[in-house]
Amino acid sequence: MNAPVTPPKLYDCRDAFAATLERLASDNESIVAVCNDSVGSSKLGGFKSKFPDRLVNVGIAEQNMVGVGAGLANGGRLPYICGASPFLTGRSLEQIKADISYSNANVKLVGISSGMAYGELGPTHHSIEDFAWTRVLPNLPVIAPCDRIETAAAVEWAASYNGPCFLRLSRVGVPDLLPEGHKFELGKANLLRGGTDVTLIANGTLTHRVLKAADVLAERGISARVLNMATVRPIDENAIIAAAKETGAIVTAEEHSIFGGLGSAVAEVVVDNAPVPMKRLGVPGVYAPTGSAEFLLDEFGMAPTAIADAAVALIKRK
Amino acid sequence: MEPSELERVARQIRLRDLQAVYEAGAGHIGGEMSVIDLLTALYFRVLRVWPDQPKHPDRDRFVLSKGHTACALYVALAKRGFIPEEEISTFLKPHSRLNGHPNCNKVPGVETNTGPLGHGLPVAVGMAKAAKLSGARYHTYVITGDGEMQEGSNWEAIMAAYQFRLDNLTLIIDHNRFQQGASLSDTNDLAPLRPKLEAFGWEVSEINGNDMHAIVPALEHRGDRPHCIVAHTNKGHGISFMQDRVDWHHKVPSKEQYETALAELSEAL
């Protein structure tokens, strides 16, 4: 009889974001939080209590929010602009382009509740285009941490990085995956598991799902490498090329459209450097039905067993 | 610099702008002529800036939100010593840093990239708010076009500026009554601007934006609220056949027109 399995504790990465920002702000008085009536959803209540003057709430006005962030940076402040990712990125995309990326303003964009986090609220609130929209912009690192440890590390890294970046966070609970004390390194994938038959690449809420898929594959006698690819831009080309050459097949999984996101970014490197069979899992160019984030990820073929099945099918094409 | 001297500098800037647009074969000459008096008063009287230290933390901030009139800004920046005057002849040339819209990472004295309309005022609100947070004493100025005020982002920023009590922010609306393709009154007429800004809590001055004696005191005014100057100007100001003509938004003068304009501006010098 198998030992009883205790499900791992799940953490909301927004808590790690908020705790880290408050800690950083205690030491660095230039840090300000900018939000669009999103104090609660961005978990900025503690920040507001501790630093009431440094919480800039512009109301429901995302274009102005991003412009104000650029101006705050010009005036020597270090703004973290927090808002629901579909509206932060989509509503103010041109401001992100002209005022932040093209101007190279030292502003940290924090997209909360990205992916399918607002699953039940419908496609207007799903943020499955934000990788595509931001990844195309120069000067703008795009980062999707996989757990609370990587979230905290990325928020801390952002404060010391002299330039803009986009942090893509969910609100769906994820287990701890990386070791305590992990340091975020821009553009570096983390090898979470060695393997030789296929490589699974994911970030954000999908990393723990592909790790489970690797377990399923191991039970089927297949050795899967697992890469956590938090940085979508600049992407870790060396890790991708090595994965292509050493395992001969790559599956990507993301809480995003399969167009323009992580899978596309990996495919660009693969096709230019080491063409091998690939499968991109994600939202296949449709508007999603209603349902929770977890339901929708399963619905779109990203349950661990489905990811494993996709890997098995892919290996046959090698 | 006194108003009479400022008028002389403004005419010199007009002349150089005309030459640059004619030589480059492109530009936005109508809106440049309307805004040059305001730019001159800012750079040669009002702004506390150090051309040899363009990023000095105490500098006053200026944002040209109507970025398509970059050429006029470049000429003013050159005359003020931020960039070499001879560089104006590279305007729009391959690899010139003086492209059709100002770039803050390439051109000293430019604070933020502009071009798409409705961006400058939100950024200026952030600059003014930053000064409030840090205790810095600099003042922030931004010039928008009147047609540009049709962009909703400006009204988001207008709300925020009053909410944040930004008495260190001055918005100047270059009210020349024309946008790219039509007069304002034929598209989405915002006039009169004053009551709309006042309704949002701003202090509003209304001036002749081509008269230095009106411009200088308006720019130097300080109150307890964000201040908007509705500057009534003329598109193509200073050149008889361009004045108040919508077709001079981005038309380039023919050789004959250029010589006529040159003569009119030179005569005024």
Side-chain angles (χ1 to χ4, degrees):
Chain A
M1 193 176 148
N2 292 332
V5 177
T6 311
K9 186 167 167 50
L10 302 181
Y11 297 93
D12 181 339
C13 290
R14 293 177 301 169
D15 292 319
F17 158 70
T20 307
L21 190 66
E22 288 170 36
R23 178 170 59 75
L24 293 168
S26 300
D27 296 333
N28 183 349
E29 67 170 24
S30 68
I31 288 179
V32 293
V34 187
C35 69
N36 56 339
D37 188 36
S38 57
V39 173
S41 57
S42 300
K43 300 251 183 189
L44 291 170
F47 188 98
K48 188 180 178 185
S49 305
K50 289 182 184 144
F51 317 104
D53 298 339
R54 288 154 62 185
L55 189 282
V56 180
N57 189 343
V58 300
I60 306 164
E62 289 77 19
Q63 297 177 70
N64 185 47
M65 173 169 69
V66 172
V68 164
L72 287 165
N74 174 286
R77 302 299 92 192
L78 181 54
Y80 281 71
I81 303 181
C82 313
S85 201
F87 315 127
L88 171 66
T89 58
R91 191 68 169 261
S92 57
L93 185 57
E94 192 189 77
Q95 277 74 17
I96 293 175
K97 173 184 170 183
D99 309 347
I100 307 293
S101 154
Y102 181 39
S103 292
N104 204 21
N106 191 16
V107 166
K108 319 304 168 183
L109 300 163
V110 185
I112 305 284
S113 307
S114 66
M116 291 296 189
Y118 285 138
E120 296 90 340
L121 301 187
T124 55
H125 285 54
H126 299 163
S127 193
I128 57 165
E129 306 87 3
D130 49 9
F131 279 150
W133 287 338
T134 54
R135 176 170 94 78
V136 75
L137 299 175
N139 297 331
L140 188 73
V142 175
I143 300 156
C146 70
D147 67 0
R148 70 182 174 104
I149 293 158
E150 190 170 35
T151 299
V155 172
E156 179 153 7
W157 166 85
S160 63
Y161 175 73
N162 185 26
C165 64
F166 170 53
L167 300 179
R168 185 190 198 249
L169 305 181
S170 181
R171 63 195 288 149
V172 176
V174 285
D176 285 351
L177 299 173
L178 296 172
E180 289 283 0
H182 169 78
K183 293 274 181 223
F184 177 79
E185 202 175 340
L186 183 68
K188 288 285 177 207
N190 314 112
L191 178 67
L192 297 184
R193 184 167 172 145
T196 53
D197 297 328
V198 63
T199 300
L200 311 180
I201 301 179
N203 61 20
T205 56
L206 263 298
T207 299
H208 78 279
R209 285 178 170 246
V210 299
L211 272 169
K212 284 186 188 163
D215 289 339
V216 175
L217 287 167
E219 287 166 12
R220 299 183 193 174
I222 294 168
S223 164
R225 178 180 300 187
V226 177
L227 291 175
N228 174 48
M229 191 74 71
T231 313
V232 175
R233 179 193 175 106
I235 202 153
D236 189 342
E237 296 195 3
N238 292 336
I240 294 167
I241 294 167
K245 288 182 173 167
E246 291 161 19
T247 70
I250 295 176
V251 178
T252 59
E254 60 195 307
E255 199 171 344
H256 190 273
S257 168
I258 58 166
F259 302 110
L262 172 68
S264 298
V266 171
E268 288 160 13
V269 177
V270 168
V271 78
D272 280 351
N273 296 280
V276 294
M278 267 195 73
K279 179 66 183 175
R280 292 170 295 130
L281 299 174
V283 182
V286 298
Y287 289 112
T290 193
S292 70
E294 300 290 8
F295 165 80
L296 289 170
L297 292 176
D298 289 350
E299 189 79 358
F300 288 119
M302 290 181 281
T305 49
I307 296 171
D309 290 344
V312 169
L314 185 68
I315 288 166
K316 289 181 183 149
R317 290 173 46 203
K318 278 168 71 170
Chain B
M1 213 177 262
E2 292 306 306
S4 59
E5 181 77 354
L6 292 169
E7 285 166 3
R8 196 176 60 79
V9 174
R11 287 194 293 270
Q12 291 169 348
I13 293 176
R14 280 199 167 81
L15 194 65
R16 189 69 192 89
D17 185 277
L18 167 73
Q19 288 170 335
V21 169
Y22 179 69
E23 282 161 17
H28 288 84
I29 195 162
E32 282 156 13
M33 293 301 140
S34 72
V35 82
I36 280 172
D37 295 309
L38 295 161
L39 288 175
T40 304
L42 282 163
Y43 277 99
F44 293 88
R45 167 78 183 233
V46 176
L47 290 178
R48 202 160 157 262
V49 288
W50 295 270
D52 55 336
Q53 296 177 75
K55 297 285 185 192
H56 193 295
D58 299 333
R59 71 195 184 278
D60 285 336
R61 276 23 176 214
F62 169 67
V63 176
L64 182 67
S65 192
K66 44 177 286 182
H68 55 285
T69 58
C71 189
L73 177 64
Y74 298 149
V75 176
L77 287 172
K79 248 188 138 33
R80 187 70 175 80
F82 282 91
I83 56 174
E85 291 206 55
E86 58 270 23
E87 196 176 339
I88 297 301
S89 61
T90 72
F91 176 57
L92 307 186
K93 296 256 167 41
H95 291 296
S96 170
R97 59 181 174 170
L98 307 184
N99 79 44
H101 297 90
N103 181 309
C104 65
N105 294 311
K106 292 183 177 172
V107 185
V110 175
E111 296 287 354
T112 187
N113 294 350
T114 52
L117 299 176
H119 285 241
L121 183 56
V123 177
V125 166
M127 292 169 175
K129 177 69 177 171
K132 290 288 178 194
L133 288 166
S134 67
R137 302 287 298 276
Y138 66 79
H139 195 88
T140 299
Y141 299 86
V142 54
I143 295 183
T144 65
D146 50 1
E148 182 183 359
M149 294 307 292
Q150 293 165 350
E151 293 281 8
S153 52
N154 284 319
W155 298 93
E156 294 182 1
I158 284 166
M159 289 186 273
Y162 177 69
Q163 179 71 21
F164 298 156
R165 301 297 191 270
L166 299 180
D167 57 7
N168 56 354
L169 175 68
T170 300
L171 160 66
I172 306 123
I173 302 176
D174 180 14
H175 194 11
N176 63 27
R177 305 177 310 290
F178 292 95
Q179 49 203 108
Q180 175 175 294
S183 68
L184 228 64
S185 57
D186 287 339
T187 54
N188 186 354
D189 197 2
L190 284 156
L193 285 155
R194 177 178 209 135
K196 297 178 176 71
L197 269 295
E198 284 178 342
F200 280 95
W202 284 52
E203 183 178 3
V204 182
S205 306
E206 233 166 323
I207 62 165
N208 176 348
N210 296 125
D211 176 2
M212 286 299 175
H213 291 89
I215 293 170
V216 169
L219 290 175
E220 290 179 343
H221 172 78
R222 294 289 182 271
D224 60 359
R225 289 179 288 163
H227 181 210
C228 174
I229 301 169
V230 179
H232 294 271
T233 60
N234 298 305
K235 199 152 187 167
H237 187 81
I239 302 172
S240 58
F241 59 88
M242 284 187 195
Q243 192 152 316
D244 291 337
R245 298 279 303 276
V246 67
D247 46 340
W248 283 100
H249 180 78
H250 51 41
K251 193 166 137 180
V252 178
S254 67
K255 187 164 188 300
E256 292 70 31
Q257 288 169 326
Y258 172 64
E259 280 164 5
T260 304
L262 212 56
E264 287 183 12
L265 292 173
S266 301
E267 199 173 296
L269 286 175

